Amino acid sequence: VPPMSSPEKVSHVHVLDQLAVELERLLDTGSAESVHRMRVSAGRLSVWLELSGRRVLRDDLRWMRGSAAHVRDVDVMSSSERHPAWREHLESERAAALSSARANLTGTRARAVIAAISYLPPVDRPVAEAGLRRLARRALRAGESLRVDEREAELLHRARRRFRRLRYALEWLGHDAGRVKSLQDAFGASNDASVERAAWDRLPPAIRSRVDDTTTRAVVGELEARVDARRKAALALWRESVDHVRA
């Protein structure tokens, strides 16, 4: 979490240092923790840039996050207890995803991004506060768009992203982000369930053939029930929180 900002400026140095450290840890160990923390640090810095009104380097930070996104998805799924064939498949898939992430992030681009951001000055607090209000309005619109179709995956995904960015913005400015973090967590859990459900359908035939029909029906039923329950929980929390975000 970014340190408490000064009354006049919002400095990014602490989080930038974290990004550099976690990038090296990812390349060295490939641990789930390093993957997650690298992506979080990059996401926080992207929001810091948005608070300042800058567009420069945000695409590069998105690329860094995206390079390790599939590794993170597999790590989330690996925490579930599933059929041995599923776990073996995930181990193989993670190894391939991590290899791809390392190939991308070992090059000069990632380090050049970190170096470039290090030259940027802190953000004036009034500028950042105005940026926070923009992010809050976007989060509100994303949440209210769910009225159109509460089952639409893209709308749920967009709301999750907007709540995450609003949470980071609040933390950059030292504001209470507890309610918005709860929203992010709820929509994140909903997204994780959807990712796992879709991944089961993409299992290679050789893996599927090792799972009997009874087990398949049980697993699919459980996954679909989890998707539905987590989606409903996220939407209920949003309805409870909309006035907070609006304020």
Side-chain angles (χ1 to χ4, degrees):
V1 176
M4 184 68 73
S5 303
S6 74
E8 300 85 17
K9 302 285 185 180
V10 181
S11 174
H12 61 302
V13 173
H14 178 60
V15 177
L16 184 61
D17 288 345
Q18 287 180 335
L19 176 60
V21 168
E22 297 304 337
L23 174 62
E24 294 306 318
R25 288 184 63 209
L26 186 158
L27 296 175
D28 181 30
T29 69
S31 69
E33 181 183 43
S34 65
V35 169
H36 177 57
R37 289 186 174 182
M38 185 281 288
R39 298 186 74 247
V40 167
S41 297
R44 290 187 189 281
L45 285 167
S46 177
V47 170
W48 178 82
L49 289 171
E50 191 168 359
L51 287 175
S52 72
R54 299 182 178 107
R55 296 195 60 83
V56 64
L57 299 171
R58 284 174 54 194
D59 286 344
D60 296 284
L61 289 167
R62 186 180 302 113
W63 164 79
M64 289 184 72
R65 282 178 51 82
S67 293
H70 190 48
V71 186
R72 176 62 179 167
D73 284 345
V74 175
D75 286 339
V76 170
M77 289 185 285
S78 296
S79 64
S80 300
E81 289 296 329
R82 296 285 176 238
H83 192 279
W86 165 263
R87 292 197 297 271
E88 292 169 18
H89 171 67
L90 289 181
E91 289 174 4
S92 174
E93 193 157 323
R94 188 186 196 278
L98 180 60
S99 177
S100 175
R102 281 172 163 159
N104 283 332
L105 297 170
T106 301
T108 58
R109 182 178 178 182
R111 290 174 176 80
V113 171
I114 293 172
I117 295 175
S118 71
Y119 287 104
L120 296 176
V123 181
D124 291 337
R125 190 176 183 90
V127 171
E129 292 284 0
L132 169 62
R133 291 191 289 274
R134 287 195 302 272
L135 285 167
R137 288 193 292 270
R138 290 174 189 167
L140 184 63
R141 287 197 297 270
E144 292 182 334
S145 72
L146 294 169
R147 296 176 182 173
V148 177
D149 184 354
E150 292 185 343
R151 293 180 177 272
E152 173 56 46
E154 179 53 37
L155 295 180
L156 290 163
H157 185 53
R158 182 173 64 184
R160 177 179 66 89
R161 294 197 309 267
R162 295 282 174 83
F163 296 148
R164 182 186 68 220
R165 295 184 75 80
L166 178 56
R167 171 202 168 181
Y168 290 167
L170 289 164
E171 289 175 344
W172 274 114
L173 287 157
H175 297 315
D176 179 18
R179 179 71 68 88
V180 178
K181 180 182 183 301
S182 295
L183 273 174
Q184 179 199 344
D185 290 344
F187 277 82
S190 175
N191 181 74
D192 291 345
S194 297
V195 167
E196 188 172 7
R197 174 65 185 89
W200 182 268
D201 284 344
R202 294 196 306 271
L203 281 176
I207 300 295
R208 279 181 171 274
S209 66
R210 296 172 55 190
V211 185
D212 62 79
D213 291 343
T214 300
T215 300
T216 295
R217 284 193 296 272
V219 169
V220 169
E222 179 192 345
L223 290 172
E224 290 184 345
R226 181 180 297 182
V227 169
D228 190 53
R230 290 187 176 180
R231 177 181 58 81
K232 288 179 178 177
L235 291 168
L237 185 59
W238 162 245
R239 287 189 287 269
E240 294 173 7
S241 305
V242 60
D243 288 341
H244 176 81
V245 175
R246 185 177 289 115

